[in-house]
Amino acid sequence: MSAPATVLPSLAADVRDGLTRSGLKELAPKYFYDARGSELFDQITSQPEYYPTPCERAILNRHAPHIVAGAHELVELGSGLASKTRALLYAMAGTGGLRRYVPFDCDPWVVERCAEELTELYPGLEVNGVVGDFQTDLDAIPRGERRVVALLGGTIGNLYPGERADFLHAVRRLLADGDRFVLGTDLVKDVAVLEAAYNDAAGVTAEFNLNVLHVLNRELGADFDVDAFAHVAFFDRDSSWVEMRLRARGEQRVSIPGAGIEVELADGEEIRTEISSKFTLQALHRELAEAGMGIEHFYTDPDGLFGLSVAVPQ
Ligand code: AVJ
């Protein structure tokens, strides 16, 4: 495995920055994913309202052979435990083209587990795990040939437009002729459908959102009263993203020793915890073109809820 990037050390600084600003307070979504958060996210993906995961899986199951045709290597950004990628790897193995798999994730444990499992599943496969943050550490990815670089699940939706442009430019720098970039994105659709996906009836998304406060309590010795916050999720049409927030129920005074701060929240004050951007094909064309890539194929599920772009350098 490559050297771990400094992911956790950024927590204290990010929290200080996000919770002491004068406007809307904010916590970055990457801090949702401790062991409990990852488990909750996993549960979200099987809630009836959360369509992105089954939609993307349907696209991958159906089109994987075409998506990976001729490729030798798969670089998966934000690999998680690679459940999303199985279809791509399977298709690559099926054509006999599979040589190397590069799982890239900010969680060293995830990268290690992923590497072990896939080495077992595909003896002879070179697995080259890289620990890092896909917003800053793409340079740590080894050079390769005939590669598919993938960011699946709609993860790019977590980035603000400026960050997204930077990220797409960094991806472009990874690509040589003959490589391609596979990007999963959630699509703009009926607001009720979008909002239901982030307000599931079973309350799993609410628990996932609130879990970030448990992370701060544990990692930074904070004393958030988690029960004193409410889950909020809504579609912001102007920004074209679903936004999740935590709303203070009553005035809160929180001490966060690990970040060296005390925070006061007014009754009803909200902390933004995630944006999840929703795209149109037109927007994807424009943003990828600005980063020097052209969409070669665009796939959706039968209902057109989720999109998978296959882009090439141009
Ligand atoms: C993992 C970022 C794609 O934005 O839908 C799911 C995370 N948040 N429910 C998304 C998430 C609330 C998810 N991504």
Side-chain angles (χ1 to χ4, degrees):
M1 239 192 311
S2 305
T6 49
V7 175
L8 268 180
S10 69
L11 174 68
D14 284 355
V15 167
R16 195 178 316 120
D17 193 60
L19 296 187
T20 57
R21 57 180 66 162
S22 50
L24 177 64
K25 294 181 171 55
E26 182 155 16
L27 292 168
K30 64 182 167 193
Y31 300 120
F32 282 136
Y33 301 92
D34 65 344
R36 178 72 183 137
S38 298
E39 189 184 306
L40 286 165
F41 176 68
D42 206 57
Q43 286 177 30
I44 287 174
T45 64
S46 55
Q47 295 310 301
E49 298 91 341
Y50 195 75
Y51 58 85
T53 309
C55 288
E56 185 179 59
R57 190 174 299 128
I59 297 168
L60 288 171
N61 286 343
R62 176 142 185 227
H63 300 289
H66 192 229
I67 292 168
V68 302
H72 290 323
E73 304 188 1
L74 178 63
V75 178
E76 189 183 18
L77 309 177
S79 59
L81 286 174
S83 58
K84 293 169 292 190
T85 329
R86 293 294 158 95
L88 293 180
L89 282 171
Y90 188 75
M92 287 170 80
T95 64
L98 179 62
R99 290 191 195 153
R100 183 155 70 147
Y101 175 52
V102 182
F104 179 99
D105 200 279
C106 61
D107 183 339
W109 183 85
V110 160
V111 172
E112 207 159 325
R113 275 282 311 276
C114 196
E116 273 170 22
E117 248 177 73
L118 287 160
T119 309
E120 213 166 287
L121 206 56
Y122 298 108
L125 173 67
E126 186 189 340
V127 180
N128 199 329
V130 179
V131 179
D133 180 332
F134 66 79
Q135 278 191 260
T136 49
D137 304 319
L138 290 193
D139 302 335
I141 292 172
R143 301 294 103 183
E145 262 177 20
R146 296 238 239 155
R147 293 195 294 186
V148 171
V149 177
L151 181 65
L152 301 176
T155 304
I156 194 172
N158 277 168
L159 306 186
Y160 285 101
E163 297 174 325
R164 207 152 73 209
D166 291 345
F167 167 73
L168 291 173
H169 278 94
V171 168
R172 173 64 187 85
R173 289 193 293 273
L174 276 182
L175 301 181
D177 279 345
D179 292 348
R180 67 203 84 140
F181 176 44
V182 177
L183 179 65
T185 50
D186 197 8
L187 303 176
V188 173
K189 63 184 62 64
D190 183 65
V191 178
V193 175
L194 282 171
E195 293 188 339
Y198 295 82
N199 289 285
D200 63 279
V204 183
T205 306
E207 209 184 324
F208 172 76
N209 193 6
L210 289 161
N211 181 62
V212 74
L213 300 182
H214 288 298
V215 171
L216 268 47
N217 284 350
R218 189 187 58 237
E219 298 297 327
L220 301 173
D223 59 359
F224 279 99
D225 174 5
V226 178
D227 293 333
F229 287 83
H231 165 72
V232 176
F234 61 94
F235 183 59
D236 178 336
R237 199 183 283 280
D238 293 331
S239 306
S240 200
W241 65 50
V242 167
E243 190 164 323
M244 295 213 309
R245 297 183 175 189
L246 290 169
R247 179 183 293 153
R249 302 202 281 196
E251 225 177 286
Q252 309 291 320
R253 167 174 262 281
V254 186
S255 141
I256 314 179
I261 55 171
E262 301 247 326
V263 179
E264 282 184 39
L265 291 142
D267 179 26
E269 186 172 347
E270 295 176 344
I271 303 171
R272 181 194 280 150
T273 50
E274 179 170 49
I275 61 160
S276 183
S277 299
K278 308 305 171 189
F279 298 83
T280 60
L281 175 55
Q282 194 188 2
L284 288 166
H285 262 301
R286 178 173 35 79
E287 294 192 23
L288 286 161
E290 275 166 11
M293 292 178 275
I295 297 180
E296 202 177 50
H297 290 283
F298 183 70
Y299 304 95
T300 70
D301 54 289
D303 296 322
L305 300 179
F306 195 90
L308 197 79
S309 304
V310 177
V312 296
Q314 63 176 17

